[in-house]
Amino acid sequence: MVRRNRYEEVELPPRGPVEALVYWRDPKKSGIVFGGVMVVLLSLTFFSFISVVANLSLLALAATFCFRVYKSVQQVIQKTSDGHPFKEILEMDLALPAEKVRTTSDLAVTHINAVVSELRRLFLVEDFVDSIKFGFCLWMLTYLGSWFNGMTLIILGVVGLFTLPKVYETNKVVIDEKIALVSGKINEITAKVKAAIPIGKKAEEKKEQ
C-alpha cells in the first residue's frame, strides 16, 4: 500500500515502462531519461537538428570507443577472456515484431480516421456549440503561438509529462473534485447555450432520433 494523499490509501497498479518513467517509480531512471530529453531539446533551441544529432552521436561513439579500448587493455593486463564488453547488446534481437507493427499501424489508422472525422464535423459546423468551442480553442492557440515557439511548447510538454501525472497521483481526490466542479459548470453553460440556439437544438434532436 502506498499513500497517495492525506485522504486515502491506494495500491499502485502495475504500469508499463512509459508510465513507470513519468510516475517516477524509479527516480534514477526517470531522472536520466528526463535529463537526457531536456538536454536534447534545449540543444535544439540553439543549434540545428543535424548538428545536435551529429554531436550527440559523436559523443556516444567516443564514449563507447574509449570504454571498448579500456576493457581491451584491462583484459590484456589481467590476462582474462571476458570478450567484447558490449556482447549482450550486440546479440540482442532488435527486430520489430511484425504482429506488433501491424497492431500499432491499425491503431494509428483508427485514431487518424477518428481525428479527421471530428475535424470535418467541427469545420463544417455540424453542431454550433461544438464548433464555437473549437473556434475558441483555435483563437487561444493564436495567442499561445505568439507567446511561445514550437520548441518551447515541446519543452513545456515534456516538463508537464514528467510532473503533472505525479502531481495528479499525489492529489487525485482534490483535483478530481475541482475538475468535476468545473466540468459541471461547463456542461450547465453548454446546455443553456444549446437550448438558446434553435438550429443546434434541432440537430441534437435529429441525432437522438
Side-chain angles (χ1 to χ4, degrees), residues 57-122:
S57 300
L58 185 60
L59 181 63
L61 177 60
T64 55
F65 186 85
C66 292
F67 185 74
R68 175 78 168 86
V69 171
Y70 167 75
K71 294 298 290 185
S72 298
V73 172
Q74 188 181 48
Q75 290 176 21
V76 171
I77 294 176
Q78 297 179 354
K79 297 181 179 180
T80 59
S81 57
D82 295 335
H84 201 291
F86 301 115
K87 182 179 179 181
E88 293 183 1
I89 301 177
L90 289 172
E91 294 177 350
M92 189 180 300
D93 184 13
L94 300 179
L96 294 174
E99 184 63 30
K100 189 171 183 179
V101 172
R102 283 194 295 268
T103 302
T104 304
S105 300
D106 293 341
L107 185 61
V109 170
T110 300
H111 285 297
I112 291 173
N113 290 336
V115 169
V116 171
S117 178
E118 182 68 11
L119 289 176
R120 179 184 62 183
R121 188 182 73 84
L122 293 172

Side-chain angles (χ1 to χ4, degrees), residues 16-18 20-37 162:
V18 176
L21 286 175
V22 299
Y23 282 94
W24 295 79
R25 296 291 179 256
D26 187 338
K28 184 178 179 179
K29 290 183 179 179
S30 296
I32 292 174
V33 173
F34 177 64
V37 172
F162 278 86

Side-chain angles (χ1 to χ4, degrees), residues 178-202:
K178 300 299 182 183
I179 292 177
L181 182 62
V182 173
S183 178
K185 293 293 183 182
I186 293 176
N187 292 335
E188 182 181 344
I189 294 173
T190 302
K192 290 181 179 179
V193 172
K194 285 187 176 181
I197 301 177
I199 297 179
K201 189 175 181 181
K202 289 179 181 178

